[in-house]
Amino acid sequence: MKQTPHPLRLHPDRLFPADPAQRAIARRLYAEIAALPIVSPHGHTDPAWFAGNAAFANATELLLTPDHYVFRMLYSQGVDLDALGIPRADGSRAEVDPRAAWRTFAAHFHLFRGTPSASWLAHVFHEVFGLDVRLDAHSADACYDRISDALQTPAFAPRALFERFNIEVIATTESPLDPLLHHAAIRDSGWQGRVITAYRPDPVVDPEHEQFADALRRFGELSGEDVYDWQAYLRAHRQRRAAFARMGATSTDHGHPSAATADLPDAQARRLFDKVVRGQAGPADAELFRAQMLTEMAAMSVEDGLVMQLHPGCFRNHNQALFRRFGRDKGADIPLRTEYVHALKPLLDRFGNDPRFRLILFTLDESNYARELAPLA
Amino acid sequence: MKQTPHPLRLHPDRLFPADPAQRAIARRLYAEIAALPIVSPHGHTDPAWFAGNAAFANATELLLTPDHYVFRMLYSQGVDLDALGIPRADGSRAEVDPRAAWRTFAAHFHLFRGTPSASWLAHVFHEVFGLDVRLDAHSADACYDRISDALQTPAFAPRALFERFNIEVIATTESPLDPLLHHAAIRDSGWQGRVITAYRPDPVVDPEHEQFADALRRFGELSGEDVYDWQAYLRAHRQRRAAFARMGATSTDHGHPSAATADLPDAQARRLFDKVVRGQAGPADAELFRAQMLTEMAAMSVEDGLVMQLHPGCFRNHNQALFRRFGRDKGADIPLRTEYVHALKPLLDRFGNDPRFRLILFTLDESNYARELAPLA
Amino acid sequence: MKQTPHPLRLHPDRLFPADPAQRAIARRLYAEIAALPIVSPHGHTDPAWFAGNAAFANATELLLTPDHYVFRMLYSQGVDLDALGIPRADGSRAEVDPRAAWRTFAAHFHLFRGTPSASWLAHVFHEVFGLDVRLDAHSADACYDRISDALQTPAFAPRALFERFNIEVIATTESPLDPLLHHAAIRDSGWQGRVITAYRPDPVVDPEHEQFADALRRFGELSGEDVYDWQAYLRAHRQRRAAFARMGATSTDHGHPSAATADLPDAQARRLFDKVVRGQAGPADAELFRAQMLTEMAAMSVEDGLVMQLHPGCFRNHNQALFRRFGRDKGADIPLRTEYVHALKPLLDRFGNDPRFRLILFTLDESNYARELAPLA
């Protein structure tokens, strides 16, 4: 069936207000910053890309399989994740031709209208890959080929894209268990792109993380500390933070269900830790331990200068069936109403007036910006 | 006292944005849907209207006495509900000339400016009844007569209005105790208007409903089940749902204080139910029972295909004195901040991935749309 | 270093919407009310100003030292409060030349751009003092001199400003311990300006107020009642309210952490009070006592006609270190998400339908206006 393709055009004011006076101001402000380099202190790129600089395999492997915002939306419309070849929790993966997965995506792409994913992808398609037709069932193959072919050329290798995008610095996040070999490879390669790590200790800090027991064991092996002892556990953190800092890290990164912090007397913190490592922590203990660890991390930040990043208020892996089949980070992360004022007080009482302490708060509850976060600043 | 009447005119753009670019889009979108038939899956019309097709008595009985948004606002300005002839909890009613009640309403109508009720009523006055002066103390009688006279003509009988408004289908809500005689009468009348019921089991599901004990007894009588036994109680629900479905129902409807759901082991659910029917349930038990019943209703929806509608987050009958004198549903329903993410997880863990399950969530807490409801979808 | 000064101009539409249609309406509405007198039922001016009518000392003492919104913002940018001469908790004060403090302020003033403080101060500078250059490091001295010189002229004495600003009435707030000598002096002076007090009993109502024990003792001395007895304590309130009313008060004013109210049986209220005066109240007792006292105050308002003002939802003195050094009300008051529907029910169940009872609710949680406060009205 022949059909006239829908042209893909990007309105230059597409992210600006409709009101002419406001739009004129937005244009003026944007013109001043559009050419500035990108400084990305919190990102989710894979350092392996820049270490190996291997070509991305095809459109599906770059734009569909790793983007849980995209496949989560398809899932909500009844598309099975196996039909898209999303890796499963057990490490297996449905055998799906990436072109077939792309066609499924393309046939549903109209459903993304009005979403940030659609804006983002339209930009990528048009600006990065030069597509001039909209993605739909009819254009699916042509778009797939154009993107996949481009990815095999040197101009679309990871480092080339990094340079084309005028990135001054980009941060990745790694677990304390990560040996940071990719970052070492980047540093040793002589390439001038600045890709730095960030210390994200969630798996060894959150007793409810499904990998906690295993992660703690490996944390001990990697650090050489007896991490089942409270002080040694804290020393292991200091040691890994220092290793991260040597690999360029300027920050730590903490994804917690809430913003709760605690500042327990040492004996009480030690008892709580003992309960945690014996696997006896209930939900309230787990929450209190995470809360205490934020204050411990703040104390270390005052020592070593790493900026602390906290993004609370997300119920992760909310879809139990999906979590069991496909594991974590599959788009079932639901924002929660979040409280900061009581939650942060224990930490702020200790470090809030210390000029060496720097804390970046993220929120998924936009009502907090004016009410709680600005006044706390 | 002679006075020039204020003309009543409806601005064609009155519900559209002020910004010209947005307004043009709103006009274009509206033009595309303005002539479509009305499909009203959740309404509060009385099926007796369409069964009997009797003329509405007068302006007051149609537009004032049954609209608790309107008389609640008057009450907030010091108007006693008896002065409006609102029926009392004990079944009595102050003897008030409907024209006198209308005059009281008219004398206060300017106080509604800027409210949805005023927009709605202006539309009804102008578009349905052809009034061209604003309702106020001076125009009260003329408006009353014009509306009341029109209501006595065939063009304003309930079925005629149904057809004039181009309603494709409208749903009413009934308690499980309702024998659905009006719906049967509509179906048997040969009239083609589609008026369907919806299953709203609150009185036999909410232990804190003031009619619960009595409703449960009648639930048993009507269903022939021993509804004081947990499994028989659930069977009675299935039986009544089937009867509702035969009378056109496509949905159930649940008005709960919160969105809490639970998925208790059967023995625990049975013990909770026993406590409830013995009248021994405290507030926490009542909340847990309602939560469990949402999951039971979801299970039945998967079986029988009725779409589940949940509108939580309302503190009903908040005004104690008003509730005692005038009973429930007198406008003292106050929206509450509402949490969905934790609340719905037990139900979603069981049925959230089942393509047969359909749940419509309502909210009175508009901050939830983007934060919780869209990501949960 | 010579530098062209930045002119200070106020855009006449600076507080109006950008959309032309909305702006035209805003202008029309504003024109109708711009010349009306100011009726300020809730303010924070000092009655001593109007009693003594002494000239304000200089720009710093008028605009910087007493404005915690301003110095709190400077503190957030690393300016020590001692550098601004802010009085400390122990009554001492760093010796700082007010001109030097002003220069520090001026050098940071650009950081206020886009804040309400900047809008407010720009108005004061331009409209009240006639400044035509923006405040910055270069204009600091000229601005300081211009303001300070003006303040020494009769046209800038407190009563002259009161008249110039076309104030019909302004309310101050005082603690029950205040002998109201300034208000008496104003009344006896023959000056016609209407400055009235408001009864703000927080220090003798909040067991967690750091001055509670001392305030209660002085409350007993001033009233001559045995305020350690529940009924006598309530009598002392009635007595002081009457004294405030004689000095013009038309309202009471209550700043509570939450909007919680309670309506305890008398014996239980008495036992709670006994616990409070013995200093044995924990946080939950303190909250319950504050809640009960709101209902007691409402009962007195029904008797004596004082309008009740409640502004809940603020975590006061959140910065512990700042509180210890500089005391309360130093800008570390953080808005909290606030619940009104459950919280106010006990009080409203008693007085909500009484036409003699008037309650003004404030909120720092703007999501409440439409959701909870309007429906409760």
Side-chain angles (χ1 to χ4, degrees), chain C residues 49-50 53-59 61-62 148 151-152 156-158 161:
Chain C
W49 295 346
F50 306 110
N53 202 33
F56 295 106
N58 54 54
E61 294 295 321
L62 177 63
S148 302
L151 290 174
Q152 303 318 308
F156 287 82
L161 289 174

Side-chain angles (χ1 to χ4, degrees), chain B residues 105-262:
Chain B
F105 170 43
H108 290 84
F109 190 59
H110 64 283
L111 297 171
F112 288 76
R113 274 200 195 163
T115 68
S117 288
S119 294
W120 171 261
L121 286 166
H123 177 91
V124 169
F125 293 157
H126 192 274
E127 298 291 306
V128 180
F129 294 101
L131 301 189
D132 50 14
V133 296
R134 280 197 227 163
L135 181 64
D136 57 26
H138 299 279
S139 67
D141 276 12
C143 292
Y144 183 84
D145 289 334
R146 179 99 173 244
I147 294 170
S148 300
D149 290 351
L151 290 174
Q152 304 318 308
T153 65
F156 286 83
R159 292 183 183 176
L161 289 174
F162 184 102
E163 287 154 7
R164 172 177 169 189
F165 295 152
N166 195 17
I167 297 172
E168 187 171 304
V169 57
I170 198 167
T172 65
T173 57
E174 272 76 40
S175 139
L177 309 177
D178 192 295
L180 305 180
L181 299 180
H182 297 305
H183 288 86
I186 294 168
R187 200 187 49 181
D188 297 344
S189 72
W191 178 55
Q192 294 303 310
R194 192 167 168 225
V195 180
I196 60 178
T197 183
Y199 188 70
R200 178 146 182 170
D202 300 357
V204 295
V205 156
D206 178 5
E208 294 179 320
H209 195 291
E210 76 279 7
Q211 299 162 353
F212 178 72
D214 186 51
L216 196 61
R217 186 181 50 72
R218 290 161 57 209
F219 193 42
E221 292 166 8
L222 191 65
S223 66
E225 294 281 357
D226 170 16
V227 295
Y228 301 95
D229 172 82
W230 174 231
Q231 288 302 330
Y233 168 80
L234 295 178
R235 276 199 306 276
H237 277 293
R238 281 195 198 89
Q239 185 200 114
R240 293 305 296 152
R241 292 170 63 109
F244 273 60
R246 285 192 298 274
M247 213 55 76
T250 60
S251 67
T252 67
D253 185 21
H254 308 271
H256 282 212
S258 79
T261 66

Side-chain angles (χ1 to χ4, degrees), chain C residues 250-288:
Chain C
T250 60
S251 68
T252 68
D253 185 23
H254 308 272
H256 283 212
S258 79
T261 66
D263 188 18
L264 301 176
D266 188 63
Q268 196 177 336
R270 179 186 303 270
R271 278 197 302 275
L272 177 62
F273 178 74
D274 290 345
K275 208 167 170 186
V276 162
V277 295
R278 286 197 305 267
Q280 296 169 345
D285 295 320
E287 175 73 354
L288 184 58

Side-chain angles (χ1 to χ4, degrees), chain A residues 160-327:
Chain A
L161 288 174
F162 183 102
E163 287 155 8
R164 172 176 168 189
F165 295 154
N166 195 17
I167 297 172
E168 186 172 305
V169 57
I170 198 167
T172 66
T173 57
E174 272 77 40
S175 139
L177 309 177
D178 192 295
L180 304 180
L181 299 180
H182 297 306
H183 288 86
I186 294 168
R187 201 186 47 181
D188 296 345
S189 72
W191 179 56
Q192 293 303 311
R194 191 167 169 225
V195 179
I196 61 178
T197 185
Y199 187 70
R200 178 146 182 170
D202 300 357
V204 295
V205 156
D206 178 5
E208 294 180 320
H209 195 290
E210 77 279 8
Q211 298 162 354
F212 178 72
D214 185 51
L216 195 61
R217 185 182 49 72
R218 289 160 57 209
F219 192 43
E221 291 167 7
L222 191 64
S223 65
E225 294 282 355
D226 170 17
V227 295
Y228 301 95
D229 171 83
W230 175 230
Q231 289 302 331
Y233 168 78
L234 295 177
R235 275 200 305 276
H237 277 293
R238 281 195 197 88
Q239 185 201 116
R240 294 303 297 152
R241 291 170 64 108
F244 273 60
R246 285 193 298 274
M247 214 53 77
T250 60
S251 67
T252 68
D253 185 22
H254 308 272
H256 283 212
S258 79
T261 66
D263 188 19
L264 302 175
D266 189 62
Q268 195 178 336
R270 178 186 302 270
R271 278 196 303 274
L272 176 63
F273 178 75
D274 290 346
K275 208 167 170 185
V276 162
V277 297
R278 285 197 306 267
Q280 297 169 346
D285 296 319
E287 176 73 354
L288 184 58
F289 184 69
R290 289 187 297 258
Q292 177 64 23
M293 282 309 296
L294 286 182
T295 307
E296 301 291 348
M297 287 287 137
M300 294 183 200
S301 276
V302 168
E303 291 171 14
D304 64 19
L306 294 183
V307 175
M308 192 168 180
Q309 300 180 86
L310 174 59
H311 39 270
C314 190
F315 192 126
R316 294 179 187 273
N317 313 307
H318 188 270
N319 188 323
Q320 190 178 75
L322 207 67
F323 178 64
R324 286 182 181 155
R325 273 181 70 205
F326 290 95

Side-chain angles (χ1 to χ4, degrees), chain A residues 19-22 337-342 344-345 348-349 353 365 367-368 370-372 374-377, chain C residues 18-20 72 75-76 315 317-322 331 333-338 364-367 371:
Chain A
D19 174 79
Q22 295 180 40
R337 192 174 276 124
T338 308
E339 201 279 339
Y340 290 87
V341 183
H342 289 97
L344 292 174
K345 192 165 194 307
L348 293 177
D349 277 348
N353 292 280
D365 178 355
S367 72
N368 276 309
R371 188 181 54 234
E372 303 181 19
L376 278 173
Chain C
D19 174 79
R72 167 67 176 86
Y75 182 76
S76 80
F315 193 126
N317 313 306
H318 189 270
N319 187 324
Q320 191 179 75
L322 207 67
D333 298 348
I334 316 293
L336 295 165
R337 191 174 276 125
T338 307
L364 296 166
D365 178 355
E366 80 295 342
S367 72
R371 187 181 56 233

